[in-house]
Structure formats: C-alpha cells, structure tokens
Amino acid sequence: MPSIRKGLIIMGRRTHRSGDLADSATSTEFGYRVPQGHWRSRLAPYAAEWAGWLATGPAAEGTHLWLGSSATLPWSSVALTLLGAGLSALTWRAASTRSAITRAHATATTAAGSAWLLAGTIVGPLHLAPVWVLGGAALCLSWNIRRALRNSGAEESGGNLFEQVRLAKVRATSVEAGPNKVTARLQLPPGETTVEDVQKAADRLAGALRLHKGAVRTTGDPEDLSQATMTVVPVDLLTTPQPWPGPSAPGGSMAQPLVTGLYEDAEPVNLFLPGDVATHRNATHLGVMGMNGSGKTVFGKLSWTEILTRRDVCLIVLDPSKGEQSVGFLSGKAHLVLGEKACRSFVKKIPAAITAHATQLGRWGYDQWTPEVFARHGLPLVVVWIEEAPRVLQDAETLTRIAQEARSAGIPLVLSLQKATYRQMSTDIRSQLGAVACFGVKELEDAAYLLSEDTIDAGARPDRWQNRRPGALYLEGPGIAEDRFPIPARTFTATDEQLRADITACDAIRATLHPLTAAALGLPQHPAALADTEESVVVITDAAPPRTGRGTPAGLADLDQMPLPEDDETLAELPEDPEPELAADPDAELPIDPELEFPEGRPTRRQALAMVRSAIEELAAAGRNPFTIRDLPDPEPTLGRGRQWLSGELSRLAREGVLEIVGGDEKATVYQLRTRANTGTSTDTGTRGRDAA
C-alpha cells in the first residue's frame, strides 16, 4: 500500500510519461528522489544507523583515554550520567508529535548510546566489546526493519507525514494516484482526532509535502466520523482558463446541467436549476457572489448562453446599473430589463407570474415544473437573472416572497452581487438560495455569507484568489456531489461574438413565454424579432426619453408600456393638449377618432391603436366575444405591423383591465372584452390603458 508521498511520486511519474502535464509535474518537483535500481542506491538509506553505531566505539575509547585514569573520573561519570538523562528526556519531548513506538524507540536508542559512552569511559570499550557488538547491531537492525516496513507500506501508510503535523495516530488506509490528484482514505483515532483537526492542518500538510497553499483538502464521511478523505492536488491547473468549447446541450432540456467551466481535476462544472423527481433533486435559486473583477459577469454570460441554447426555457435578465454593457449581446435573444427604476417595477410583477404558474401547474396535476410541462402544455421554465442585485433587493418583502414561492412554480431566481452581507441581502432571502457560486472575495469571512461552513472547513479558500484569477469559483447546489463543493473550478473564456453566434444557431428551437406569463409580466411572448422591425420589444428601460411640446415624453408614458420605434411616431404629430386618461369603465366605448386620416401612408402608433380598438368593439357588437388574435384583421396591410406587435398590444390591454384572458393554449390566447355583463358590477375595474403618448 503506497504512502501519500509515494502516491505523489507515482502520480508525477505517470503524468510525465503520459504527457498530460509534461515538464510541470515530474517527481523532482515534489522534492522527493525516486531511488534507482542499483543495489548501492537501495542500501544507502540503511547505512546511517550502522555508521552511527561504528562511531560510538572510537568515541568511548577516546573518553576512556582522556578521563579513565584521571582523578576527575568520579565527577566526569556524574556529568556523563546527567548528560545522558538530559538527552533522553529531550528526545522524549521532541518526539511527542510522533507515534508512540517511534517516540519510545528514539528515546531508548538515546539512553542506550549514553549508557555505552559512560560504561566505555569508566571500564574501557575493549572490555565491553561483546556488549557493544551485540547491542549496537540489535539497535541498528531495529531501525533498519522499521525503515524497510515504512518504505514498503506495511507500516502506518502515510504515518510519517501525519507525525510531522502532529496527527500521529491518523492513518492513510488506501491511497489512489490519478493524473493530477492523490486521494487518500483516512482512518482517524475514534474519540481523539476529528475531521476538523485534520482540516485545520491542511496548510501544514501542504508544507510538509512542499506544495502550494490550498493543495490539500479533507472531507469527512457523513456516515462515519472516524473516516475522512484527503485529496492532494500538486499542480494548479486553474492558472490558465480553458477556451469555451461551445454549448453543452444545444437543443436539449433544462433538466440537463449548465456547463460553464472545469474543476481543477478537469471534470465539468455542472449547475442544475430545475428539480428532478426521479433523482430527488430539488429545484433551486442561485446566489452568485464575488468581489469586483472576480469573473461573475463572464459566468453570467456563459450561463445565459447555455440557457438560450435549450428548448424549454426563457431568460429574463435584469441589470439596474450597467445597461447594455454586459447584456448587449443578448439583444433580441432574451427579455432585458435595464435601469434601476425599471427593474424595481418589474420585480413587483413577478408574484403575479408565480401565482399564474402555480395555478396552472396545479390544474395540470404538477407540484413543480418539469420538462414534461413544456412538452405537453407549452409552459417553459422562466429564469429571472438579476445582476447587481442589491439595487433591487431594497424591496425585501417582495423579493422574499419571490424567493419563497417562485422555485416550485418554474421561475428560478438568480441573484448576483459582490458581497452578501446582512445590509445587502436579508437572511430570509439568503436562506432560500439552495445553490451558490462563490468567486474570489477579499476576506474568507465574506465567503461565509453564502458558502456553507462545511465547504470552507474542507479547504475552500476563495480569498486566496481575490480578483487576481477571474473566473475561479466554488460551486454548491442540488445535483452536485458534496465532496465536490470544496474543489475549485474556473469558467471558460469566450467572446461576446462567439456566444451570440451559438445563441443564434438555436433561434429556431428556443421557447417563447407562455401567454399567461407574458400577460402577468407585461412582456411580449418573443423577446424580439429582426433588429430592423418593430414587431416586438427587446428592452424595457427607464432611461429618460427626450421631451417635446409641453414636456410630454417622446417615448413611454410609464414603465408598464412598451417602447416605441423611432420613426414617424413622434409627439410632434399630437395636438398641443393630449387627451386625458380614461377610466376603465366596462361599458365605456373604446376611444376612436373618426377624423383620422392617413395622408402619410403608414399609420402612427396612436392611429394603429385606435383601429385595433375599433376592430375589437366591432367583434363584440357582432357577438364574437370572447375572441383570439386570429379573429382580428391582419394588421400588416392596414397598420404596417405584424402579429407580434398586435399580440403585445392585446397583452397590454389585458393587463390594464380592458380585456380579460379567459383561456388559450400554446397557439393562441382567448381574450374577452370586459363589459357590465361579464364583470357583474358597474364599478371601475382599473385604469384604462394609456395611449403611447
């Protein structure tokens, strides 16, 4: 059974032969010399004891000639006796960190040598030759036997290593050497040494093995506290990040893991967000934490690309501070909400989407979202990713409700921030984050806000990177083996152009928001059409629009409306005093301007909305209420707009209480014009939707 040190040597030799880490992990790098096959090299380690024994003969003869016939012999004898006792006591004390047999053996050898020197000084070594030969040879053989057993692994495999770090009774029962990893199964003395004791000695163990900081990690066995596994990684493979290999499962399901990087042992980093009943894996929210420049944004971009190349998921990214700096490459591919005010307003709508999802899942007979929900009913998973989360977390009550309820409703939440202190994130929200990606932090105490205590105790040290190694992280979460929590990883490297090309390649298979979700969140079902069309909305933003006339915005009237295209639809065409907002009376006529004329050809947005409302009223008058978008005239010939634009306007009218969603499927939503007859009351149902200006 090889020791840990021999495992490192074997690993280095194998690695050097295979070429995996050529010239970087040879046996000499670890500070150990592999004996050659020559007999002299094999016998050399055993010669030291014999050389020392032979030296004691001349030493005793010398002291005898010097002191034996002197009048000071009695006093010299006393001095030699005290000297021998002192050296024996010192040996016993110095060997306190070693095993009991080593301590006793070393002390007995020192005492025997002192006694021989005293006797030889008084009587003369020639008179004690048989004692010297037999006793000395026995002592030398005893040390040779111990060395031979230790080198063959029959005695205390790895014991000498643990003796050096004051863990003398810890034993390595098995050692396995891999390409860049040595794994040792440890047996701890029951009731004397704990897993925490070994974990605290990690730096001392690394020093004894002449390795870098963080090279040694220890995890306990949850079934047996006297058992542990120690992992030694001699070469740091995370120094240079690996290039992005492309999406891990293009066209696949979100049930498959998101792969954003590699662990130090070259295993892929797997992140799961939805749950899996078959494997008893819980759905989860994710917390992403790391100091400025630690690589959180790159992790986000890789995760977004993985998400947008799957078939049964939609992505909504909120960024209250950076605008399109980080998310610009997603334009037209994901729903984006930019600006602090817009993000806060949007977050308030998420509870309505949670209720809609949970209600519908319950009607279909599901207690959580699964890929089958999308396959059978067209309801995709909706990932809400919030960058710079503290700017949004100020509404703690709403975010707490979202964190507590959204998971099972198929709306996983991702919160990215630099430091998850109590002032930045409440403990109620933090307790709901079942998965954690921790990048470099300034102090180890910062990591403790999200990383579990067991992971930190096992050797996770994100503070040793800080922001000097962007992309290096520790990952915890459902579906990940717990013994991998303390293993460091690093994200791939990729350009925005590469990621957008991968996303574009999956445009045909990407899901769109379910009508219920789109209506609750105030978003179009599809994030965008072609960049030069006006059929859908790419970004919701609270950037201040320019003003014309009497200070009326030349863009959005409020955050619940969608931005207008920059064409001929400006407020320069509106009257000086726009019409006031109308109350949402179910019996009130939809506003129509009979004097509208279209001398310029394509109607303005205001004119187009009036025509849509007129068409809806005509359907209701003809008894076609409820209706779908298919019952309305094609907007392209008369309005110069596509079905996506019309779908977005119908969703907006539904949110504002003018229309009501009464059914639908993945192909079309069924709307109903709210009247006194179908509301059962004559009171207002809300505020009528505002016009674009």
Side-chain angles (χ1 to χ4, degrees), residues 82 100 110 161 217 223 258 282 347 383 433 443 552 592 623 641:
L82 294 176
T110 304
L161 171 65
R217 296 186 304 272
E223 303 297 331
L258 308 179
N282 286 325
V347 166
V383 178
L433 301 179
E443 304 289 344
T552 307
I592 306 174
R641 293 163 174 81

Side-chain angles (χ1 to χ4, degrees), residues 488-545:
R490 194 166 188 182
T491 58
F492 297 117
T493 59
T495 64
D496 289 356
E497 291 74 17
Q498 288 177 291
L499 300 180
R500 184 171 178 86
D502 291 330
I503 295 172
T504 301
C506 296
D507 283 349
I509 57 92
R510 192 175 308 119
T512 59
L513 285 176
H514 191 276
L516 292 176
T517 312
L521 297 177
L523 297 174
Q525 290 183 250
H526 197 285
L530 297 177
D532 58 349
T533 67
E534 310 166 71
E535 297 182 359
S536 63
V537 178
V538 181
V539 178
I540 296 178
T541 178
D542 61 6

Side-chain angles (χ1 to χ4, degrees), residues 550-566:
R550 296 172 56 186
T552 307
L556 297 180
D558 57 39
L559 294 175
D560 292 334
Q561 292 178 308
M562 295 174 286
L564 301 180
E566 296 179 1

